[in-house]
């Protein structure tokens, strides 16, 4: 697969990342059966074989179960660790953690960040995380405290680079001012069905500060992929028809058009592929070589906006 240089790092990554959020097939670790474990490992190996080098995790994905599945893959696949870039996240705490009455919340306290990272390292069976991300902004974030945790993790060799997720530019800047090194990614929801990052300054900041945008749910959770039929009354139907027209023109799938459209942005935007099906994992890689051209990009942008440009 085509590779891209990750700005502000010495990392070269595949143009598409593989997202491991669904590899356990459940969000309840008690439900990880041997079959689910095997299927999850097969998904990760299919991505590895297809040339994906960036793998995205979070501590909350199946309460660590997804990281554990990947840890078992790493144990059984000599050489894989040094060929891939592992990203994971912390900072979201679900209700009941650690006490039954603890609420759902965000937690960027230094001790929580460091402890979460150390647990991820154990689950993933690795000595270091390549990119450690803060999952969702903590309203009580003290940037100096986050910086303290990041420096401790970096100096201990446990993390190479840091990033954020779902951060608006003001929050990225507030944190960046306290760090002596650049944040290298902002993982955001951006796709043909969600254009806000084009207008709210998020992608402007990515381009200007050379922060890569990792695009989560690049197929909008599935409806931008194959098999979804929107009736004419559905506001998404016009967009899907436009995507299908370009798919027919280029003799590719709807998925490839939706992903290629994202990858045309110079930030760069790196879509995180979420399917667990090996055939779809391989199919998506074709998008990395598809150049839609500027005019087609704008036609799709207009279809996605649902109105003409100013
Ligand atoms: N930072 C955050 O807050 C955040 C939030 C959400 C996700 N993420 C990251 O983003 C990654 C991707 O998110 P996502 O899984 O929501 O992505 P997505 O690809 O937009 O949605 C995945 C869903 O779409 C289906 N799908 C995938 N490819 C398809 C295709 N070609 N045709 C039809 N259906 C298709 C999948 O089903 P099948 O498996 O059956 O193919 C699955 O149900 C996650 O793994 C995670 O790493 C991050």
């Amino acid at each position: 697969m085509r590779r891209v240089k990750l700005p502000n790092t010495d990392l070269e990554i595949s143009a598409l990342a593989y997202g491991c959020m669904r590899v356990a097939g459940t969000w309840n670790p008690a439900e990880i059966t041997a079959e689910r474990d095997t299927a999850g490992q097969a998904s990760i190996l299919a991505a590895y074989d297809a040339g994906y080098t960036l793998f995205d995790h979070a501590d909350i994905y199946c309460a660590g179960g997804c990281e554990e599945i990947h840890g078992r893959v790493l144990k059984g696949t000599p050489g894989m660790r040094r060929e891939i870039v592992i990203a994971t996240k912390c900072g979201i705490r679900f209700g009941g953690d650690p006490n039954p009455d603890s609420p759902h919340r965000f937690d960027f306290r230094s001790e929580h960040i460091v402890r979460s990272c150390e647990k991820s390292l154990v689950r993933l069976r690795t000595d270091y995380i390549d990119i450690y991300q803060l999952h969702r902004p903590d309203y009580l974030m003290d940037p100096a405290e986050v910086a303290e945790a990041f420096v401790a993790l970096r100096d201990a060799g446990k993390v190479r680079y840091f990033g954020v997720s779902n951060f608006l530019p003001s929050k990225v800047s507030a944190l960046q001012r306290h760090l002596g090194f650049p944040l290298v990614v902002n993982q955001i929801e951006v796709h043909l069905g969600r254009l806000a990052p084009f207008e709210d300054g998020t992608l402007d900041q990515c381009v200007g500060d050379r922060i890569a945008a990792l695009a989560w749910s690049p197929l909008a959770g599935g409806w931008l992929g194959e098999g979804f039929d929107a009736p004419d009354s559905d506001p998404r139907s016009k967009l899907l028809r436009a995507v299908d027209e370009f798919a027919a023109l280029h003799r590719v799938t709807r998925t490839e058009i939706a992903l290629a459209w994202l990858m045309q942005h110079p930030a760069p935007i790196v879509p995180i592929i979420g399917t667990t099906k090996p055939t779809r994992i391989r199919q998506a890689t074709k998008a990395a070589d598809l150049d839609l051209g500027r005019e087609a990009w704008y036609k799709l942008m207009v279809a996605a906006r649902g109105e003409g440009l100013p």
Side-chain angles (χ1 to χ4, degrees), residues 19 22 56 165-166 187 217 219 221 226 255 275-277 280:
R22 300 177 192 264
D56 183 61
S165 180
N166 302 301
Q187 186 174 140
S217 294
L219 299 177
E226 280 64 65
T255 296
T275 180
T276 51
K277 296 196 166 70
R280 286 179 173 173

Side-chain angles (χ1 to χ4, degrees), residues 32-168:
I32 302 183
T33 56
E35 289 74 23
R36 282 188 161 140
D37 189 356
T38 303
Q41 292 196 40
S43 301
I44 291 171
L45 281 169
Y48 178 57
D49 290 341
Y52 293 74
T53 63
L54 173 54
F55 290 78
D56 183 61
H57 282 274
D59 56 351
I60 57 167
Y61 296 164
C62 193
C66 296
E67 290 180 329
E68 282 178 355
I69 288 173
H70 200 158
R72 287 190 277 280
V73 174
L74 287 172
K75 188 172 174 230
T77 317
M80 183 190 204
R81 179 64 190 97
R82 65 173 178 273
E83 287 174 28
I84 66 169
V85 170
I86 295 183
T88 191
K89 320 182 195 77
C90 72
I92 296 179
R93 299 187 76 170
F94 289 138
D97 168 22
N99 302 312
D101 63 345
S102 300
H104 178 60
R105 64 205 186 281
F106 308 122
D107 190 347
F108 287 3
R109 286 172 310 133
S110 181
E111 64 180 46
H112 181 71
I113 294 172
V114 171
R115 201 175 50 236
S116 301
C117 182
E118 286 169 347
K119 287 183 188 165
S120 286
L121 289 170
V122 171
R123 289 190 291 259
L124 286 159
R125 304 187 194 211
T126 184
D127 297 331
Y128 64 97
I129 305 290
D130 295 285
I131 306 171
Y132 202 49
Q133 308 156 103
L134 300 174
H135 205 151
R136 278 192 182 275
D138 177 359
Y139 299 113
L140 299 176
M141 172 175 83
D142 173 354
E145 203 181 340
V146 174
E148 185 190 311
F150 281 7
V151 168
L153 289 169
R154 195 194 54 168
D155 289 355
K158 292 174 179 169
V159 174
R160 298 191 64 202
Y161 300 103
F162 296 92
V164 293
S165 180
N166 302 301
F167 269 45
L168 285 169

